[in-house]
Amino acid sequence: MPAPSIDFFFTMGSTYSYLTVMRLPEVERASGLVFRWRPFHLLTILNEMKHVPFADKPAKMSYMWRDVGRRAAMHGIPVKLPAPYPAKQSVFANQVALLGMQEGWGQAFIREAYRQWFQLGLETGSEPNVSASLHAIGQDRAPIMERARSDDVGQALSNETDRARALGIFGSPNFVVDGELFWGDDRLEDAVSWAKLRRVK
């Protein structure tokens, strides 16, 4: 019998997704669950909702950085804050991530790109983050960046964004268990509980 699975919807421009991306492999090992990593472009949905988080809200942004810092410390995750934000090239970062998921190197790239962003201060989706991240995981930069910009990958990202919208997703990270939504890194354990017990423990 296959292990229960959770869809992990995230966008590469999301700050809180850093926490999930860095701790998810251990959560997966400990829980025995399978997480399907699904990059999508959250900004499309937020624009439709006429909602722009943090960027024009200094008090909320200040809280967000403090909250990310506290949670990173709680989980023992290195972080250098504030990181460059908002991520101006998040579309491209999502396209590279999605291509990587199709080709089998996505998780490694996503974790490295987030490390470059939140530990080294190199904005996700921009240079030198993308090149450095691909090099660090042993991938050839030039052909990957060309494929990531293709219409096929762009359409695939649009399709994933449509799926996220249809599920009612409005934030990142988001965990989906048989249609049940859990929004936020602080709901990861709730999603694990739901996948195993069909209740939050």
Side-chain angles (χ1 to χ4, degrees):
M1 183 175 178
S5 62
I6 296 176
D7 284 317
F8 167 41
F9 280 89
F10 65 99
T11 194
M12 292 291 288
S14 162
T15 56
Y16 281 96
S17 294
Y18 167 66
L19 301 169
T20 303
V21 162
M22 300 310 286
R23 67 193 190 98
L24 198 53
E26 177 55 35
V27 171
E28 197 169 35
R29 284 190 294 271
S31 67
L33 298 173
V34 175
F35 285 80
R36 293 189 292 256
W37 294 42
R38 303 184 66 167
F40 75 107
H41 192 49
L42 175 62
L43 192 57
T44 299
I45 295 172
L46 295 182
N47 285 338
E48 292 167 358
M49 297 170 61
K50 297 181 172 56
H51 175 60
V52 180
F54 306 127
D56 61 348
K57 303 174 179 68
K60 190 174 182 180
M61 182 178 285
S62 178
Y63 173 84
M64 179 266 290
W65 288 130
R66 183 65 187 126
D67 195 34
V68 169
R70 286 190 303 244
R71 293 189 61 77
M74 177 176 71
H75 293 296
I77 301 170
V79 68
K80 181 180 179 182
L81 300 175
Y85 185 82
K88 297 180 287 296
Q89 302 297 326
S90 62
V91 173
F92 186 58
N94 286 324
Q95 288 174 288
V96 177
L98 183 55
L99 177 64
M101 293 310 300
Q102 294 172 349
E103 297 187 351
W105 45 265
Q107 289 189 30
F109 168 78
I110 292 159
R111 285 170 55 81
E112 181 59 26
Y114 262 108
R115 189 187 74 82
Q116 297 270 341
W117 186 15
F118 274 82
Q119 296 179 27
L120 304 182
L122 303 178
E123 183 181 323
T124 187
S126 300
E127 286 301 305
N129 181 305
V130 175
S131 294
S133 298
L134 290 170
H135 177 75
I137 65 169
Q139 296 295 322
D140 191 355
R141 165 190 176 275
I144 285 175
M145 293 178 78
E146 182 177 354
R147 291 199 302 277
R149 291 189 173 98
S150 70
D151 291 342
D152 286 348
V153 174
Q155 185 59 55
L157 181 62
S158 179
N159 292 343
E160 281 296 89
T161 303
D162 289 344
R163 292 185 185 100
R165 184 192 297 105
L167 287 165
I169 289 174
F170 55 86
S172 172
N174 210 301
F175 314 99
V176 185
V177 185
D178 293 335
E180 196 83 17
L181 304 185
F182 298 87
W183 171 43
D185 176 72
D186 57 348
R187 293 296 179 265
L188 172 55
E189 284 73 18
D190 289 355
V192 168
S193 177
W194 195 272
K196 289 186 166 188
L197 305 172
R198 286 302 184 269
R199 62 185 174 88
V200 174
K201 182 178 179 182

